[in-house]
Amino acid sequence: MLLEVKDLKVSYGKIEAIKGISLNVNKGEIVTLVGANGAGKTTLLKTISGILKPSAGVINFEGKDIQSIAPHNRVLEGVCQAPEGRGIFPGMTVLENLEMGKYARPNWKNELAEDLDRIYILFPRLKERQSQFGGTLSGGEQQMLSIGRALMSRPRLLLLDEPSMGLAPMFIQQIFSIIREIQTQGVSILLVEQNAAQALSCANRAYILETGNIVKEGAGKDLLNDDAIKKAYLGTGA
Amino acid sequence: MDFSIVVSEFASLFLDGIVVGAIYALVALGYTLVYGVLRLINFAHSEIFMLGTFACLGVTMLLGYTGYEEPIGIGLFLVTFILITVVAAVASGSAAMLLEVVAYRRLRRKGANRLSSLISAIGASFFLVELFRLLTDSKDWDFPRLLDKNSLFEVSSAYVTADKLVVLIGAFGLMFALDRIIQGTRLGRGIRAVSQDEKTAVLMGVDVDKVIAFTFLIGGVLAGVASAFYMLFYEATKFNVGFLLGISAFTAAVLGGIGNIRGALAGSFALGLIQQFSSAILGYNWRDVVTFLILVLVLLFKPTGLFGEAIQRARV
């Protein structure tokens, strides 16, 4: 098991945003976490990355408890996140943003050219925009940059927070096909989404999160055909 | 009011404006860099500068200068002045790092709001001022004249003297070095990343505490060097020397757009020139009135500064 989350609780002050959830990601999988706004999806990813501290529970990565590892050192363990809202450094060029994905890696100079090639094959648009400032990119381009930057750190687990948010339908299709492409390159993915239809058809397994609790789990395809889920998340029920 | 002086003394006023602006710039960079990473005006920064001026004075005392010597030759001057500058930079740089640990880091770790940090900043400033008032007997302290200040050559009405040249060459060299550090080094990248998006910077593996400590070190070192240039140019200091200089440098940083490095440089030279020309027209006593007026007007009408609209792209 690559990632194992057990009985995790996270609170903002007195408000409990995650009320004891357990989930796991196996090597090579795309696992998605689907839920409405405020269900606790972003909170979970922030906690795995160490931005938030849980009040209880365990987070194991490759069999090792990572909670004692400082947030900024977790990227070296092999977990990297493309955060909600994309988190592009607006005053850095596309290339500089990508290089930031290498910040933690001691041997970054030797890896840089090879990894840039890899990212530019995945996202040819980024190569065209290489010397443009991150803040001037379109939403879809920023999302590509955010994912590409996370991949620069050579993660074994990629955390994606709502990659489809605010994108045009054409870009959404493209982003999800790239996510599958990344999977074939051997990177496991934990994908958080409101766009349930896309996320469920893309994922091997899925969890449904409602107000801090996991209410259902199963294979992505099965949940896609589940009547209750159709009704609540896909807008095609009844 | 006498406007003819602006024409007849233009070159002279311009040169002095640039020299004063260069000193402001080194201090303004400290305000702007720290604001970039912490979103906090480090109001004790002016005292880091003040501490530097006394470090300069301490070196000349230890070297046995009494202030009555003849100016020394250029070779000996350079060695002496580099020593003074290095000591001031080390003193101010380490004081700035200590200040960060004592006054800010604990509050930050506890998640205190910015108002608490601001109060802590002002408290640290008062503490340092009063400490130096006691240590220095509230006196004016003269800095020995190390360098002959006769004119080397003239450009129009401007007398170009060696001290002005030293300040200009030194300040521009340092600005270039800073640019290389910010653009070209790993920690420089870290400063830019934290300034632009702190949370994402952490996700990319940036150690924010380390970056903040490094930022205070750079700001302190620049203020220390500025204090050496200030002593060379003005040849006197006092426990409250940081106040007006700090306000001027802060005004320059705000004028250029706080958090923006190029803005701080542009604002500093602009303010240096404005001060010189307005003093010539209105009288020297009006200099600080003009400075405060600019500060108030910028904050009222263009709080993002001259380069405000470009701040997203140009920030650090």
Side-chain angles (χ1 to χ4, degrees):
Chain A
M1 211 179 290
L2 191 64
L3 176 77
E4 184 183 23
V5 175
K6 264 196 301 203
D7 305 320
L8 192 75
K9 291 183 181 174
V10 189
S11 304
Y12 296 100
K14 281 180 182 165
I15 301 159
E16 203 168 46
I18 291 182
K19 301 167 182 168
I21 67 173
S22 300
L23 59 85
N24 54 63
V25 179
N26 295 310
K27 204 162 180 302
E29 270 187 327
I30 298 180
V31 172
T32 188
L33 194 67
V34 171
N37 243 338
K41 307 185 301 286
T42 296
T43 305
L44 174 72
L45 291 197
K46 281 186 174 167
T47 311
I48 296 172
S49 288
I51 305 278
L52 293 174
K53 280 200 168 64
S55 48
V58 181
I59 304 171
N60 286 329
F61 183 71
E62 294 179 332
K64 179 165 134 193
D65 183 359
I66 56 169
Q67 285 193 60
S68 56
I69 297 169
H72 66 267
N73 285 331
R74 292 191 193 184
V75 62
L76 260 185
E77 296 292 316
V79 185
C80 197
Q81 185 180 158
E84 185 185 28
R86 300 150 199 154
I88 298 304
F89 299 113
M92 292 191 193
T93 63
V94 167
L95 180 61
E96 285 174 326
N97 265 284
L98 289 172
E99 285 173 0
M100 278 309 294
K102 281 256 168 277
Y103 189 89
R105 297 193 65 82
N107 204 15
W108 70 276
K109 273 189 182 152
N110 297 328
E111 301 171 356
L112 187 64
E114 183 192 332
D115 284 8
L116 277 178
D117 280 348
R118 197 161 52 89
I119 305 295
Y120 286 155
I121 290 169
L122 218 48
F123 304 104
R125 186 73 71 94
L126 293 183
K127 189 170 190 180
E128 293 165 26
R129 301 261 188 265
Q130 197 168 211
S131 50
Q132 209 169 308
F133 279 105
T136 66
L137 298 184
S138 75
E141 290 165 349
Q142 287 194 348
Q143 191 57 60
M144 292 174 181
L145 180 55
S146 181
I147 297 174
R149 184 181 58 188
L151 287 175
M152 289 294 281
S153 72
R154 298 193 170 182
R156 291 184 291 287
L157 177 65
L158 177 64
L159 308 175
L160 298 177
D161 196 345
E162 303 242 10
S164 76
M165 205 203 312
L167 299 190
M170 189 195 79
F171 265 126
I172 295 181
Q173 290 293 341
Q174 207 179 339
I175 291 283
F176 277 99
S177 77
I178 286 166
I179 290 172
R180 280 186 287 261
E181 173 69 29
I182 293 168
Q183 181 189 25
T184 64
Q185 294 181 4
V187 181
S188 311
I189 295 164
L190 178 57
L191 166 70
V192 149
E193 259 301 339
Q194 276 194 66
N195 189 333
Q198 286 286 353
L200 290 176
S201 56
C202 166
N204 302 102
R205 286 190 308 113
Y207 296 86
I208 310 293
L209 192 66
E210 272 175 20
T211 56
N213 290 304
I214 286 176
V215 294
K216 204 164 251 180
E217 62 175 287
K221 299 269 170 350
D222 295 344
L223 292 184
L224 206 51
N225 296 318
D226 184 300
D227 284 338
I229 286 168
K230 271 187 188 166
K231 201 170 171 187
Y233 296 100
L234 302 172
T236 55
Chain B
M1 262 192 247
D2 182 7
F3 285 97
S4 63
I5 195 168
V6 173
V7 180
S8 61
E9 293 290 318
F10 182 85
S12 161
L13 293 169
F14 187 85
L15 175 64
D16 284 0
I18 294 294
V19 170
V20 174
I23 295 173
Y24 289 161
L26 296 181
V27 181
L29 285 168
Y31 281 108
T32 229
L33 284 169
V34 167
Y35 182 85
V37 293
L38 283 184
R39 297 291 180 272
L40 164 82
I41 306 294
N42 175 16
F43 275 113
H45 189 55
S46 47
E47 272 47 79
I48 299 297
F49 168 85
M50 177 271 290
L51 189 141
T53 63
F54 283 105
C56 295
L57 203 65
V59 176
T60 58
M61 283 175 166
L62 284 177
L63 291 175
Y65 284 95
T66 56
Y68 295 103
E69 294 84 1
E70 289 292 307
I72 52 183
I74 187 75
L76 183 58
F77 164 77
L78 282 178
V79 175
T80 312
F81 190 67
I82 287 171
L83 176 71
I84 290 170
T85 310
V86 168
V87 170
V90 169
S92 291
S94 39
M97 284 180 88
L98 188 68
L99 173 77
E100 191 265 319
V101 173
V102 173
Y104 303 128
R105 183 172 293 184
R106 291 169 61 88
L107 286 173
R108 199 169 67 240
R109 291 241 167 104
K110 287 190 171 140
N113 62 24
R114 266 182 220 136
L115 188 61
S116 311
S117 299
L118 197 67
I119 293 168
S120 184
I122 293 168
S125 171
F126 282 1
F127 170 78
L128 286 168
V129 171
E130 293 307 316
L131 179 70
F132 273 80
R133 183 204 294 274
L134 293 174
L135 289 176
T136 63
D137 282 344
S138 314
K139 276 195 312 191
D140 286 302
W141 291 79
D142 289 334
F143 189 67
R145 176 160 297 189
L146 300 171
L147 197 58
D148 196 356
K149 287 201 175 179
N150 292 333
S151 175
L152 295 175
F153 55 92
E154 289 171 33
V155 181
S156 178
S157 63
Y159 296 100
V160 180
T161 57
D163 58 326
K164 293 176 189 173
L165 278 181
V166 169
V167 172
L168 286 179
I169 294 169
F172 282 109
L174 213 57
M175 288 169 205
F176 179 76
L178 178 73
D179 184 65
R180 291 325 310 146
I181 290 173
I182 298 289
Q183 303 294 334
T185 69
R186 186 163 179 274
L187 272 167
R189 282 270 163 96
I191 292 179
R192 296 175 67 201
V194 173
S195 300
Q196 294 178 25
D197 188 335
E198 183 181 332
K199 285 213 175 79
T200 307
V202 175
L203 293 179
M204 296 303 123
V206 179
D207 184 344
V208 174
D209 278 343
K210 208 163 143 190
V211 162
I212 289 172
F214 184 63
T215 308
F216 272 84
L217 174 67
I218 294 179
V221 165
L222 292 173
V225 176
S227 75
F229 291 165
Y230 179 93
M231 292 301 263
L232 183 70
F233 189 61
Y234 290 106
E235 300 180 325
T237 185
K238 202 179 178 182
F239 69 93
N240 62 2
V241 69
F243 178 67
L244 281 177
L245 188 121
I247 291 280
S248 289
F250 174 62
T251 302
V254 171
L255 179 63
I258 190 90
N260 182 324
I261 287 186
R262 272 168 271 171
L265 298 181
S268 297
F269 289 114
L271 186 71
L273 290 169
I274 292 169
Q275 284 187 348
Q276 291 302 313
F277 282 99
S278 62
S279 302
I281 295 165
L282 302 167
Y284 179 78
N285 291 339
W286 286 86
R287 190 192 70 168
D288 299 323
V289 178
V290 170
T291 307
F292 280 106
L293 193 67
I294 291 172
L295 180 59
V296 171
L297 289 178
V298 173
L299 289 177
L300 268 180
F301 295 109
K302 193 109 175 43
T304 49
L306 290 177
F307 299 96
E309 63 280 351
I311 204 163
Q312 284 289 41
R313 290 204 298 118
R315 169 174 290 159
V316 186

